[in-house]
Amino acid sequence: MKQNIESHLEEKRVFKPSREFTKKAHIQSFDDYKRLHAKSIKNPEKFWASEASNLLWQKKWKKVLDWKPPFAQWFVGGQLNASENCLDRHLNGPRRNKAAIIWEGEPGERRTLTYHQLHREVCVFANILKRNQVKKGDRVLIYMPLVPEAVISMLACARIGAVHTIVFGGFSSDSIKDRIEDSGAKVVVTADGGYRRGQTVTLKQNVDQALKDNTQVKRVIVAKRANIEVSIKEGRDVWWHREAEYVNADCPAIPLDSEHPLFILYTSGSTGKPKGILHTTGGYLTGTATTSKYIFDLKEEDVYWCTADVGWITGHSYLVYGPLANGATCVLYEGAPNWPEPDRFWKIIEELGVTILYTAPTAIRAFMKWGDEWPKKHNLSSLRLLGTVGEPINPEAWMWYHTNIGGGRCPIVDTWWQTETGMILITPLPGATPLKPGTATLPFFGVDAAIVDDHGKEVGPNEGGKLVIRNPWPAMLRTIYGDKPRYKKQYWSEVKGCYFTGDGARRDKDGYFWIVGRIDDVLNVAGHRLGTAEVESALVGHPSVAESAVVGRPDEIKGQGVVAFVVLRETHKPSKDLAEVLRKHVGNAIGPIAKPDEIRFAEALPKTRSGKIMRRLLKQIASGATITGDTTTLEDFSVLTRLTKSADE
Ligand code: 7RM
């Protein structure tokens, strides 16, 4: 029988929201959170129905929830349109001329679109889609740089009931090909190219490559962005700006059933083909709009910046649908954080007066590595709230973010969620929840999260186990596109009656959730189950370490030995002595069982393009095996080559 995951690190720092923040916040005290959460859990449908009423419905729902496990339908019988909720609804009042999008290209140009202007562009493009035979229910594949046209094409699809499926602009032609086949898309929207670190990325060329031998795709609509030469296939390819000459800006949003599909977003599993996660309209919009309002504490005057690309779920939920449904002003930045210098983010914040910044731990650790002098060069006093998502944030990085970016004054919302959950499920509320560095704290309203053992029984304080959600929520995935059996098996079979997240976690004595990593990555050293996040966190707690990834490798005596891959800060150099110092450091912080058997210094770690460390690959390197399985989501293949080389030396 497997034991539960053990926990050895203890974080004692607590940060209470300031009076200044609290007095203007949507939720103003911890007691209010606790009371409202308890109430929302007793009757989640009541809570969600009341939040859904803030949206514009063309027809009101008959039933809030129809739950035939594991299949949920929300706001059954209701009709609405996501594009209308993000745009038209704001045009009758003072938001009409408010900036919806402030965009900055990597080369430095800026474009601002007011709600009125964005609405107009979306209507034009929706008419272009119609002119090119896109009908309600059709899938449209979007492969774009982070330019306003990416958002415009999403909202235009939503406006006419087409289902968008975005492929991140950094992915290869193979990824496009697979996703076109799986989704059955007949139309592709792309651009000639985009900018990344001063180079142009040849998007249209990648699409051409993906469409070689393909007869399914009838139309490719190309936006002009990078002014690079592309080949245009007569009868298949058209230019966005040319098409715009043939249509007007009049395109009413059509009423859609609440359960009408809004988008498919592919996410890679550790094996097998990517899963097409299907999200629908009414529940998704209710979930993302509600969480955006409470968690980012959105106010009319905020300048909100989520640094994710639209190719990720974070870009869908918290760059586009959630904030725009709230009438927020959103910053969009096309390029790399260190182009031309490592202070690009801080420059943007200063110049645009950003008040809320939502980014990923991987970016924060990179900024730490580049040095404190870069943020110091800028006035960041406009910021009032910070957020993170994507991985556990180690307390060291949290403290750095809090001090160097937040000036010690901004709450940090560490938000836990997934492509599948569609919306944030575990998070602090910035005016209410006392924060501890490294934890996503407590469940959002209406969410019943728990940690259970291998038999599905809830475990006690500080005992590790599987993170599950025990009740349906409105933005949950409805299925894996075209594969209901896989949906059931993947998410609803591991723990009876619960949604299984795949994450390992523990709750501390205050009930706070600490995510310790993916269950598949958990270490088992001499019968002790350790979360990767804790050992990594201990390592990053040492002043020489910028980033680390810890994996197990087979060990005859202990079952598994611990191998730590370590990237040093720019101020330190690898040495045998330092390796020994780091081993001891982990031993002191956690205990002798967690002491790495081997420290491997690396220049970089293999990551997905959204910044998550791919421990699966490191595990293979650590045990000397050849790399197998899906590597299409890997950001930089040369990192792997360098790592395998250093192991041979
Ligand atoms: C939004 C997103 C989901 C996985 C999830 C976790 C990890 C995300 C946090 C986190 C600890 C967090 N969607 N994860 N947020 N771990 N603390 N705040 O990232 O589908 O791409 O990934 O990411 O393992 O299961 S995702």
Side-chain angles (χ1 to χ4, degrees), residues 221-235:
I221 306 175
V222 190
K224 220 179 184 47
R225 160 64 185 135
N227 272 313
I228 54 177
E229 214 164 298
V230 296
S231 70
I232 292 290
K233 188 169 168 178
E234 279 307 317

Side-chain angles (χ1 to χ4, degrees), residues 460-491:
N462 284 317
E463 274 181 58
K466 295 169 183 163
L467 176 63
V468 296
I469 312 296
R470 294 189 288 205
N471 64 344
W473 63 99
M476 65 189 267
L477 77 165
R478 298 303 192 256
T479 187
I480 293 176
Y481 189 67
D483 200 346
K484 278 189 187 171
R486 192 173 178 196
Y487 166 71
K488 276 191 184 169
K489 184 163 176 290
Q490 182 90 35
Y491 303 110

